[in-house]
């Protein structure tokens, strides 16, 4: 790798640069190597995190393997064998250990921590600038996910609130809120999980922009494919990816039934303003709270790609390719872990498709 002084003068040339070493990035790197490319000679994986594990290393401690959505195997290595079958292990421990073992097993030689600041077009090549050097590539597989870009919608008066506001990614333990009134905002899986935890130690209220949709019965593979197809249709039209939960609904699990019995799921519609002491609805009703916990999701972390002008007026990026990983405006660029490939199983398939299609295009 070039030193920082060298990087100001010369860019290291490679065929492909991958940005991000989460599930999608590691899958893509594996498939590139399976097709004969060598790490740090033909392709390079850059990852901003200090250690393996992607966004999993930042998850809250109470998120264990028994409560997390299923972690699918990366190609060529079993997660169950790595985790040891103990569902009480923290996801923030088990998944990073698995990713670290995976990187070592397949000698992927990830460069970290390496933060990419910008990607620019340089004719037939792309210039990738990072704090670990400058790189020139014929193709780019971007797998930066969403963890670095939490979304908090703006409401009038937000700056005046005297209490504490935080996002899902800032959450650690429920005990830190003991004795406080916590308002949980959002109707996704994380909102329900954190509402459940916090309501066990203190007073809570719950609001969301859209009413929660609970689903009875099991979630079949057909349901999953239908949900992913709807998200895929959006990105193929250049629209921003929608929420999969908004399509699938929330399963009425034993935990949710228990929450209903405890009276925790007393849902209220979204407020219209924030006051110094809480929130206010359109009809003038106010609620005093100490904490607003925004479980309002994330947006794709793609700011470093802004100079490439990939976005449509709608704010989305038009995607093409077999699994909608290829950017229509620039086929040298694939986005994995974006849109329909945001799930762990979708990320695996997207990594394989992106590696195959990008190599075909470059040849």
């Amino acid at each position: 790798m070039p030193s920082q002084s060298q990087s100001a003068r010369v860019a290291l040339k490679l065929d492909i640069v991958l940005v991000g070493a989460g599930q999608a990035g590691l899958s893509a790197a594996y498939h590139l190597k399976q097709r004969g490319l060598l790490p740090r000679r033909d392709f390079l994986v850059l990852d901003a995190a200090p250690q393996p594990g992607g966004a999993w290393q930042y998850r809250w401690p109470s998120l264990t393997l028994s409560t997390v959505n299923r972690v699918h195997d990366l190609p060529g290595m079993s997660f169950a064998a790595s985790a040891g079958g103990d569902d009480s292990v923290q996801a923030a421990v088990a998944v990073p250990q698995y990713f670290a073992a995976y990187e070592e097993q397949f000698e992927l030689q990830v460069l970290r921590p390496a933060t990419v600041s910008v990607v620019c077009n340089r004719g037939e090549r792309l210039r990738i600038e990072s704090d670990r050097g400058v790189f020139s590539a014929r193709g780019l597989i971007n797998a930066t996910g969403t963890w670095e870009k939490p979304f908090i919608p703006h409401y009038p008066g937000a700056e005046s609130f005297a209490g504490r506001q935080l996002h899902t990614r800032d959450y650690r333990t429920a005990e830190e809120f003991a004795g406080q009134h916590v308002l949980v905002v959002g109707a996704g899986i994380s909102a329900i999980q954190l509402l459940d935890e916090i309501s066990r130690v203190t007073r809570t209220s719950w609001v969301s922009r859209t009413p929660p949709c609970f689903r009875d019965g099991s979630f079949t593979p057909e349901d999953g494919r239908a949900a992913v197809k709807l998200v895929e249709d959006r990105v193929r039209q250049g629209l921003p990816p929608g929420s999969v939960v908004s399509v699938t609904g929330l399963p009425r699990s034993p935990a949710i039934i228990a929450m209903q019995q405890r009276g925790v799921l007393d849902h209220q519609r979204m407020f219209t303003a924030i006051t110094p002491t809480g929130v206010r609805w359109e009809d003038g009703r106010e609620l005093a709270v100490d904490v607003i916990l925004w479980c309002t999701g994330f947006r794709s972390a793609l700011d470093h790609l802004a100079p490439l002008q990939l976005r449509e007026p709608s704010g989305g990026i038009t995607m093409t390719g077999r699994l909608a990983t290829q950017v229509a405006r620039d086929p040298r660029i694939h986005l994995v872990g974006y849109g329909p490939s945001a799930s762990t199983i979708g990320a695996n398939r997207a990594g394989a498709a992106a590696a195959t299609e990008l190599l075909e295009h470059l040849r």
Side-chain angles (χ1 to χ4, degrees), residues 14 33 37-44 106-109:
L14 304 124
K33 192 173 181 187
L37 277 71
L38 295 180
R40 300 209 181 192
R41 190 196 74 178
D42 304 314
F43 74 90
L44 174 66
F106 295 105
E107 299 179 334
L108 298 179
Q109 301 185 46

Side-chain angles (χ1 to χ4, degrees), residues 20 44 58 114 129 143 146 150 182 185 197 224 229 232 247 251 262 288 303 322 355 360:
L44 174 66
Y58 305 113
E129 298 183 9
T146 62
V182 179
V185 183
E197 290 186 16
K229 179 64 165 58
E232 181 178 325
V247 177
R262 289 193 292 119
D303 290 352
R322 185 170 64 86
E360 289 174 354

Side-chain angles (χ1 to χ4, degrees), residues 14 19 26 53 57 95-96 116 143 200 208 235 249 277 279 292 295 306 321 351:
L14 304 124
V19 184
L26 292 181
Q57 62 195 281
V95 180
V116 173
R200 297 175 185 272
S208 64
V235 300
T277 58
V279 297
I292 302 176
C295 300

